Amino acid sequence: MDLAGLIESGMDVAEASGLLMNVMWTMIGAILVYFMQAGFAMCEAGFTRAKNTGNILMKNMMDFVLGSLLFFVLGFAIMHGKDANGIIGTTGFFNPTNLADADGLFNGLPVGVFIIFHTVFCATAATIVSGSMAERTKFAAYLAYSAAISVVIYPVSGHWIWGGGWLSSLGFHDFAGSTAVHMVGGICALVGATILGPRIGKYGKDGKPRAIPGHNLPIAALGVFILWFCWFGFNCGSTTAATTSLGDIAMTTNLAAAAATLAAMAVTWIRYGKPDVSMTFNGSLAGLVAITAGCDVVSNWSAIIIGLVAGILVVFSVEFFDKVVKVDDPVGAISVHGVCGAVGTLLTGVFAMDGTGITFLHQLIGVASVMAYVAIMALIVFTIIDKTIGLRVSEQEEREGLDVHEHGSSAYADFNFRL
């Protein structure tokens, strides 16, 4: 319905104009968040080996495909349907547009606008797992757990936080998804990568990790630039309204990312003697993830501090999982999304401006409860898949590459790859 139609329906000019502006801004945000799929695909492809590139691209495509269909049929209802005891939504299954009011609105927006905005967020949570389990996971198994995340994991914890569930009633604050999206994806990635085991050759007989360099740093860097660009839609778009706070949210988002990038570069320069390229770019993502929870309630200087913490933390977290826990995470997604998502949410409770009512205790309860739920559900999902379909490809398939064995083609025709 255009402006004239809204006015004819009984809205005054200001109200109708405001609604259309909110629709336009929310749709722009949704489109930018969708394009994050391209950013994740480029990051994961660049940070892994050439023989698995096609497989990476297929997984990032199918995340969105499965997420779109399953979130429409089941996930949106679980996340945003009528609340049942603060735990789960119970209405809107198979046709979530039925949740709209008499004017076709849901939470102040046309229901289709609201659904597509949350659909792209769901796909983001699912795609985070792809990178941590890259280069040795069966494609069929990937489809299965991507579907499970879109139906039984992300929507339930999302209901607690954004769907009127118990955490939102408690006062837990996660504006755009440091916990609801990124930590959820990071915890799933940790559980999945642990059950799956490391890539062949990742650890020597002495147990020490060996570097397995990605094949294309320019593509990985392009992915990070795309993600940084799209993150303005991720965070600013989460207002779902054309408000005067958009510039403030963009500022905190950008400052945190910049501070984290600088911090990660500095730490690697000191520790390794040279500024590490891949870790510096991961620092950018770490800052973006960390600020996402509190980008609307922290000051610019607080955002810089949160970014600095995330940029330093991500370096040591990657080393910890690689060397101590011995979980093989080819792209560092567990640290970037899981660890920095949790820490950023907690720091929101420390740095939230006066008058917001946000407390560290509420943030801690939210992080701990979501972490526990997701870890348990991910363990169940991955164990079932491992015992039925099987999570891991054969040794021959892993050595020769998933592109040829899983998809029958190579992303780089006529190239000769080292096995």
Side-chain angles (χ1 to χ4, degrees):
M1 191 179 295
D2 60 12
L3 180 61
L6 290 173
I7 293 172
E8 288 178 6
S9 70
M11 288 188 183
D12 60 36
V13 175
E15 184 182 7
S17 299
L19 175 60
L20 290 177
M21 287 294 294
N22 294 344
V23 168
M24 290 174 60
W25 175 243
T26 304
M27 286 303 302
I28 290 171
I31 292 165
L32 287 171
V33 175
Y34 166 73
F35 196 54
M36 291 176 80
Q37 294 293 125
F40 282 118
M42 294 299 97
C43 273
E44 293 170 21
F47 285 143
T48 53
R49 289 169 289 186
K51 63 185 179 182
N52 300 309
T53 301
N55 179 258
I56 293 288
L57 300 179
M58 278 289 285
K59 290 194 294 185
N60 279 271
M61 172 59 79
M62 295 312 298
D63 280 331
F64 189 78
V65 170
L66 289 175
S68 294
L69 294 170
L70 293 172
F71 193 69
F72 172 78
V73 173
L74 299 172
F76 188 86
I78 293 171
M79 187 167 176
H80 290 287
K82 183 178 179 181
D83 177 62
N85 300 315
I87 303 299
I88 195 170
T90 58
T91 57
F93 292 100
F94 303 104
N95 189 8
T97 57
N98 287 337
L99 295 173
D101 62 21
D103 296 320
L105 303 180
F106 186 84
N107 282 2
L109 287 170
V111 65
V113 175
F114 195 84
I115 291 172
I116 193 62
F117 187 77
H118 279 276
T119 296
V120 293
F121 273 63
C122 176
T124 300
T127 203
I128 290 167
V129 186
S130 170
S132 294
M133 300 177 67
E135 303 199 287
R136 72 268 200 210
T137 304
K138 288 182 179 180
F139 185 63
Y142 182 81
L143 296 180
Y145 73 70
S146 181
I149 290 170
S150 300
V151 174
V152 300
I153 296 180
Y154 170 78
V156 174
S157 56
H159 179 79
W160 298 354
I161 299 168
W162 291 335
W166 71 277
L167 283 178
S168 62
S169 300
L170 179 70
F172 176 73
H173 186 84
D174 184 11
F175 182 68
S178 289
T179 289
V181 177
H182 296 282
M183 193 189 78
V184 166
I187 295 299
C188 289
L190 173 59
V191 175
T194 300
I195 294 174
L196 187 62
R199 290 168 290 175
I200 296 170
K202 174 61 181 177
Y203 294 97
K205 293 181 179 179
D206 58 1
K208 292 182 178 180
R210 298 169 176 169
I212 302 179
H215 83 285
N216 197 325
L217 272 179
I219 286 294
L222 176 62
V224 174
F225 283 120
I226 289 172
L227 288 169
W228 194 325
F229 170 71
C230 293
W231 225 285
F232 292 113
F234 201 91
N235 285 3
C236 298
S238 291
T239 59
T240 62
T243 71
T244 57
S245 65
L246 295 178
D248 296 327
I249 294 170
M251 281 294 296
T252 55
T253 299
N254 193 62
L255 289 170
T261 306
L262 182 63
M265 183 193 72
V267 171
T268 59
W269 206 332
I270 294 169
R271 287 182 66 78
Y272 311 144
K274 296 181 185 296
D276 184 84
V277 178
S278 61
M279 195 69 81
T280 299
F281 277 87
N282 258 345
S284 305
L285 300 181
L288 290 165
V289 168
I291 196 59
T292 294
C295 56
D296 64 323
V297 293
V298 301
S299 69
N300 290 332
W301 279 107
S302 294
I304 291 172
I305 295 171
I306 291 171
L308 290 172
V309 171
I312 294 169
L313 178 63
V314 72
V315 177
F316 292 99
S317 178
V318 167
E319 290 185 3
F320 173 75
F321 283 107
D322 200 35
K323 297 178 180 179
V324 179
V325 184
K326 291 184 169 47
V327 173
D328 182 15
D329 181 1
V331 302
I334 297 167
S335 298
V336 168
H337 299 277
V339 174
C340 291
V343 170
T345 306
L346 294 175
L347 290 178
T348 300
V350 175
F351 292 108
M353 290 182 283
D354 293 341
T356 61
I358 300 167
T359 70
F360 180 80
L361 178 60
H362 291 160
Q363 298 301 99
L364 179 61
I365 292 171
V367 168
S369 59
V370 172
M371 188 180 294
Y373 172 75
V374 173
I376 292 169
M377 290 303 299
L379 179 62
I380 293 170
V381 167
F382 283 118
T383 300
I384 292 173
I385 295 172
D386 192 36
K387 299 301 182 183
T388 53
I389 301 172
L391 276 175
R392 190 162 187 143
V393 298
S394 68
E395 180 177 343
Q396 179 185 0
E397 290 170 333
E398 184 175 346
R399 290 188 183 278
E400 295 179 359
L402 274 62
D403 284 7
V404 172
H405 284 280
E406 291 274 33
H407 307 288
S409 62
S410 171
Y412 302 99
D414 301 323
F415 278 52
N416 292 317
F417 302 126
R418 292 177 298 171
L419 302 181

